[in-house]
Amino acid sequence: MNNDYMVRIQAVLHFIEENLDQEMNLEMLAEISNFSKYHFSRVFSAIINKTPMTYLTERRLHHAVTYLKTTNKTMLDISSLCGFSSVSSFNSSFRKLFKTTPSGMRRSMQEHSNNQLMSGNNQEELSPSKNYYMSINNNNNFLRRVWEMNIEVKELPSYQVAFVRHVGSYLETYKAWGTLSKWVEKNSLPPTEYFIGISLDDPSVTDEYSCRYDACITIPKEFSIEGDSSIKFKTLPGGLYALYKFYDTIDKFAIAYQSVYGQWLPNSDYEPDDRHALEFCMNDPYTDPEGKVKVDLYIPIKSMVGH
């Protein structure tokens, strides 16, 4: 793995560990990593196998277990020391991870002096550095295959596009495509134009119903842009992209994203750029003989030389 990626992710892990009692958000952690917010969450999740905020919450909870075991501090004190905004949010997160309440775990640890609850796997969880390196070394076979796949580095021009924005679950983006398709048919755009999807948010860190998605079609230079309440227009910036040709069932598409960000990029001489990834739709899955989706996935990159 590229040492620069390791240093940047380690800097985030160290910051989290040293500031567990402080308020943190995704923008702050992304700034420390020197990745954009959009790309940071994907890189972090792909390498650590957890979203940044999930990792932060779990580290806070494991520190809370130490306080429960070694001190008589109140739940209010512990929740504050571990960066929770309230006792109720502390209790809720604690129960979700440990399947018991903080007070319930404290009683159990007092009853079992051999501290069985703190033995076994939990000791590994309490070591962020060890957990980090295990995550790097435990990439599954699918991730490994992506690194071995033929990913091309290509220069794309800028594109003028017409688009319809969808806000909500990415499983319902067909609604935006339906609106766009009617407009395309009405305006008789040539079949040589590209259909491009843009996932503007990472669904692993953004609420499902707040995710934004643009269904786009490129338009000819001479095309007359006229007002239409359902259609908007913009220019997609060109530049350097890593191209991965995806052809599989749609449920594996998120894994493809994770694989490129977590496996290929950290082992390349590139890092993600601030532009959004482009999903060139190359077929209609409803007419595909195997029901598969063919997408040319372009991940924006820039050279790490001189970083």
Side-chain angles (χ1 to χ4, degrees):
M1 176 168 290
N2 189 301
N3 186 61
D4 184 75
Y5 275 69
M6 293 175 67
V7 169
R8 291 157 80 174
I9 294 299
Q10 279 283 42
V12 174
L13 299 182
H14 179 74
F15 179 83
I16 287 174
E17 210 65 22
E18 294 297 313
N19 297 277
L20 287 171
D21 61 332
Q22 301 298 313
E23 183 178 344
M24 285 183 242
N25 56 40
L26 197 60
E27 289 82 357
M28 183 186 301
L29 299 180
E31 186 175 346
I32 292 167
S33 74
N34 202 28
F35 288 119
S36 70
K37 173 187 171 182
Y38 175 82
H39 295 298
F40 164 67
S41 64
R42 292 189 181 277
V43 171
F44 188 99
S45 300
I47 293 175
I48 304 299
N49 292 326
K50 295 174 183 175
T51 68
M53 303 317 287
T54 295
Y55 178 88
L56 169 61
T57 298
E58 291 188 3
R59 293 306 306 149
R60 285 173 164 165
L61 291 171
H62 285 296
H63 274 258
V65 170
T66 301
Y67 282 122
L68 291 170
K69 176 187 176 184
T70 61
T71 75
N72 291 318
K73 292 183 182 296
T74 66
M75 297 306 161
L76 178 60
D77 287 340
I78 293 175
S79 66
S80 178
L81 286 167
C82 295
F84 289 92
S85 58
S86 67
V87 174
S88 61
S89 65
F90 170 50
N91 284 334
S92 176
S93 298
F94 197 96
R95 182 186 287 276
K96 185 176 180 180
L97 181 63
F98 294 113
K99 313 304 179 189
T100 186
T101 62
S103 56
M105 178 172 280
R106 173 174 272 173
R107 283 195 302 271
S108 295
M109 289 189 293
Q110 290 171 346
E111 292 169 3
H112 299 84
S113 58
N114 60 356
N115 294 320
Q116 291 178 353
L117 286 173
M118 295 296 292
S119 65
N121 292 336
N122 277 354
Q123 287 182 344
E124 290 187 354
E125 290 289 345
L126 289 171
S127 173
S129 296
K130 184 175 182 180
N131 193 44
Y132 168 63
Y133 287 111
M134 285 175 63
S135 296
I136 292 175
N137 293 327
N138 285 343
N139 285 314
N140 62 34
N141 291 333
F142 189 92
L143 297 178
R144 183 60 59 185
R145 289 209 320 272
V146 170
W147 168 235
E148 294 168 352
M149 285 187 301
N150 184 25
I151 294 182
E152 304 174 51
V153 173
K154 296 190 67 174
E155 186 88 23
L156 285 184
S158 60
Y159 292 104
Q160 182 74 14
V161 299
F163 71 98
V164 175
R165 175 157 296 179
H166 168 79
V167 179
S169 171
Y170 282 160
L171 298 176
E172 298 180 345
T173 57
Y174 65 87
K175 297 176 181 178
W177 285 114
T179 301
L180 184 65
S181 295
K182 291 177 182 177
W183 180 85
V184 170
E185 185 177 352
K186 176 183 175 183
N187 286 272
S188 303
L189 263 67
T192 51
E193 299 302 323
Y194 295 112
F195 286 95
I196 304 172
I198 306 176
S199 301
L200 297 166
D201 297 294
D202 180 353
S204 67
V205 298
T206 303
D207 180 79
E208 177 183 6
Y209 298 104
S210 298
C211 287
R212 298 164 301 151
Y213 177 90
D214 287 348
C216 312
I217 185 169
T218 57
I219 54 178
K221 290 183 179 178
E222 66 277 8
F223 186 83
S224 176
I225 297 177
E226 297 179 0
D228 187 317
S229 60
S230 63
I231 302 295
K232 294 182 172 60
F233 300 90
K234 65 179 175 179
T235 300
L236 304 181
L240 207 59
Y241 289 82
L243 165 61
Y244 167 44
K245 293 179 177 292
F246 175 86
Y247 180 60
D248 211 320
T249 53
I250 190 62
D251 59 301
K252 292 189 176 68
F253 193 52
I255 303 175
Y257 258 105
Q258 180 189 28
S259 305
V260 177
Y261 276 97
Q263 192 66 24
W264 184 81
L265 267 174
N267 288 286
S268 73
D269 294 324
Y270 302 94
E271 63 178 309
D273 194 26
D274 288 345
R275 294 161 290 151
H276 285 99
L278 306 178
E279 304 161 11
F280 279 65
C281 307
M282 308 305 290
N283 77 334
D284 181 354
Y286 294 106
T287 60
D288 185 84
E290 298 183 54
K292 293 182 177 179
V293 177
K294 184 179 290 186
V295 175
D296 283 359
L297 175 60
Y298 285 88
I299 304 292
I301 56 175
K302 58 185 177 182
S303 175
M304 294 184 70
V305 176
H307 175 79

